[in-house]
Amino acid sequence: MASVHGAFDAGAGYTYFNPQTGHELSGVLGFTANFINPATQYQNGVDMHFDWGASQFLTKQVQVGLVGYAYKDIGCDTGSGIASAASSRRFWALARRSVTSFRIGGMQG
């Protein structure tokens, strides 16, 4: 049986780009608040996440770099069946990235 519930996510981000050097750095800090799952009466606590990327443009169409993601619970889960009132899930990820932009019709992607 599938169970669906909603969440609210808000965040803010910033991008720095230097066209002379081709350096680009972006970051977004966000927070997610989950609603109660009506099927289980369980509610995940608020979490915080940070997404970032750093790139070097090799040409106007090609860039390479790194991307990352960090996640941490900052609120407690509630509902029956939780092992502890205070959960502290956290994880992070790091990956390489390469981007190639090309024109479709009259738009540059």
Side-chain angles (χ1 to χ4, degrees):
M1 175 175 127
S3 176
V4 178
H5 71 283
F8 177 78
D9 187 80
Y14 180 77
T15 296
Y16 164 80
F17 176 62
N18 184 326
Q20 284 78 34
T21 63
H23 298 349
E24 182 262 339
L25 181 63
S26 297
V28 175
L29 178 65
F31 298 88
T32 305
N34 295 279
F35 299 118
I36 293 174
N37 183 328
T40 63
Q41 297 304 306
Y42 191 88
Q43 182 177 17
N44 294 87
V46 175
D47 67 66
M48 177 177 66
H49 49 91
F50 181 67
D51 306 88
W52 64 271
S55 294
Q56 175 64 50
F57 279 81
L58 304 177
T59 69
K60 287 187 177 184
Q61 289 80 27
V62 177
Q63 60 179 296
V64 295
L66 295 172
V67 293
Y69 181 83
Y71 171 96
K72 180 172 180 4
D73 279 339
I74 59 172
C76 297
D77 294 359
T78 58
S80 61
I82 60 174
S84 169
S87 63
S88 63
R89 292 177 293 256
R90 67 184 79 170
F91 60 87
W92 59 270
L94 178 68
R96 297 176 302 226
R97 124 175 153 163
S98 61
V99 177
T100 303
S101 299
F102 52 91
R103 192 173 291 281
I104 297 178
M107 298 177 9
Q108 176 72 31

